[in-house]
Amino acid sequence: MRNFDEFTITEAVLQRVAAAKDLRTRQISEALVRHLHSFVREIGPTQGEWETAIDFLTRTGQMCDDKRQEFILLSDTLGVSMLVDAINHRMPEQATETTVLGPFFVKDAPELACGADISGGMNGEPMLVTGSVADARGKPIAGAVVDVWHSDDDGYYDVQRKDAVAAAMRGRFHTDSDGRFWFWSIKPAAYPVPHDGPVGEMLEAQGRHPWRPAHVHFMIGAPGCEQLVTHLFVAGDQYLDSDVVFGVKDSLIREFKDMPAGIAADGRKMDQPHCHLRHDFRLKARASMRPAQAASCLTVAR
Ligand code: BEZ
Ligand code: FE
């Protein structure tokens, strides 16, 4: 077969990829070719625009290393990450809603006892976070692993600070026998996603700002339950309706309540005001489990 033109090329490529042995690979390849060709037909790019697109993708790849993932940022800012999240986390009503993981999660964060201060000595308004973890029916889960991370008062994560020597504003806690956890830190600020690369150029060209509303990240796991990846957003933040990565859901917006100096909710004596974030999380039973297995999600998870 030869002499393909703009009317016959799509069918020719589809026939070629139909040879894929793996069915899922064939399905994905065929959809890719169909959608990509129809995208190109719709926009009818000039040769120069095609070169610009190749250059954009090349630079996006070149920007990636073990600290920076420009392709994930591209997926985030085009709403693809939240679409994948939505498809994969159709939550029962009682379960806590999910949102994007983001690039600032660090495996092996310090394991800390409840009540620890994770601010790492950073300046900011003290913040007490108290919460609980339960299954979707409301039964508390003891021993659930709660990873938390957030930005500082200036909107930077510890991993973005060149002078950072130790983990700050991140930690790993385990829920107590009543499914509760609590810790101290500083109130996070809104921040722009990294926008000094190709994704920043794209946002600028699209007339968009790079900001995310202030939030605290949570990753919560327990045996028999789906791992929950979510954030809690600061109510009233100016970017709640224009989050650059489309991650905000109403159920995740919380009051970070202003509290006066005095005895805090965890019994600590505070000589200055602080804010208090409280939230009860509910985990969804793992989908692949039969009801009997899923019941283990309801029991103590040590
Ligand atoms: C974050 O919240 O950490 C984040 C999420 C997506 C892209 C950039 C940052
Ligand atoms: Fe974040």
Side-chain angles (χ1 to χ4, degrees):
M1 284 171 76
R2 51 180 80 160
N3 301 322
F4 302 113
D5 61 21
E6 65 178 291
F7 304 105
T8 58
I9 183 80
T10 305
E11 194 47 42
V13 183
L14 283 173
Q15 280 182 21
R16 209 70 67 85
V17 302
K21 286 198 185 69
D22 176 64
L23 199 62
R24 182 72 174 149
T25 305
R26 175 175 168 179
Q27 187 188 28
I28 292 170
S29 303
E30 289 178 347
L32 173 70
V33 171
R34 271 190 279 108
H35 289 278
L36 196 57
H37 283 220
S38 101
F39 169 73
V40 172
R41 275 197 187 89
E42 181 182 329
I43 57 173
T46 63
Q47 200 68 28
E49 284 172 335
W50 176 83
E51 278 167 26
T52 303
I54 297 293
D55 177 58
F56 175 82
L57 292 173
T58 304
R59 289 186 297 113
T60 299
Q62 286 167 341
M63 197 97 199
C64 295
D65 58 26
D66 57 346
K67 293 223 165 56
R68 173 98 177 233
Q69 232 305 348
E70 194 75 358
F71 268 117
I72 294 184
L73 198 56
L74 184 60
S75 162
D76 293 341
T77 51
L78 289 176
V80 175
S81 305
M82 279 308 287
L83 179 57
V84 172
D85 181 72
I87 290 166
N88 285 284
H89 299 99
R90 295 182 177 116
M91 302 306 255
E93 248 172 47
Q94 313 82 344
T96 304
E97 290 195 281
T98 54
T99 190
V100 277
L101 174 67
F104 301 121
F105 172 69
V106 170
K107 275 191 230 146
D108 307 321
E111 302 235 3
L112 299 162
C114 283
D117 182 348
I118 62 169
S119 66
M122 302 293 295
N123 288 330
E125 181 185 347
M127 171 178 74
L128 171 63
V129 180
T130 62
S132 67
V133 180
D135 66 30
R137 291 189 229 164
K139 185 155 190 253
I141 303 176
V145 179
V146 181
D147 267 297
V148 299
W149 67 106
H150 64 84
S151 68
D152 65 19
D153 206 23
D154 296 322
Y156 289 102
Y157 286 78
D158 56 355
V159 288
Q160 293 177 291
R161 292 200 172 270
K162 292 201 171 57
D163 54 351
V165 282
M169 300 157 297
R170 67 177 71 244
R172 169 173 282 192
F173 298 91
H174 291 83
T175 54
D176 69 8
S177 55
D178 296 320
R180 290 174 310 185
F181 69 91
W182 65 101
F183 63 91
W184 284 88
S185 192
I186 51 166
K187 190 177 178 182
Y191 62 85
V193 297
H195 56 287
D196 55 345
V199 170
E201 287 168 28
M202 179 191 76
L203 294 174
E204 173 79 27
Q206 292 172 341
R208 297 166 59 188
H209 71 67
W211 288 82
R212 297 215 67 206
H215 56 271
V216 179
H217 291 259
F218 293 85
M219 183 189 280
I220 304 181
C225 298
E226 278 192 13
Q227 186 168 61
L228 172 66
V229 175
T230 196
H231 320 341
L232 295 176
F233 294 93
V234 179
D237 190 287
Q238 64 171 311
Y239 299 111
L240 286 173
D241 288 312
S242 63
D243 180 8
V244 67
V245 304
F246 307 93
V248 180
K249 293 176 177 170
D250 280 340
S251 67
L252 303 176
I253 301 173
R254 303 291 295 165
E255 290 295 335
F256 285 48
K257 280 199 184 131
D258 290 327
M259 308 300 288
I263 304 296
D266 70 338
R268 179 167 155 179
K269 188 170 176 314
M270 292 295 292
D271 54 13
Q272 57 173 315
H274 65 280
C275 68
H276 181 190
L277 164 64
R278 181 176 176 274
H279 195 70
D280 299 317
F281 296 87
R282 288 195 172 193
L283 305 189
K284 183 184 172 190
R286 201 170 280 159
S288 59
M289 306 202 107
R290 279 173 285 144
Q293 284 174 296
S296 69
C297 171
L298 313 182
T299 59
V300 168
R302 273 222 191 266

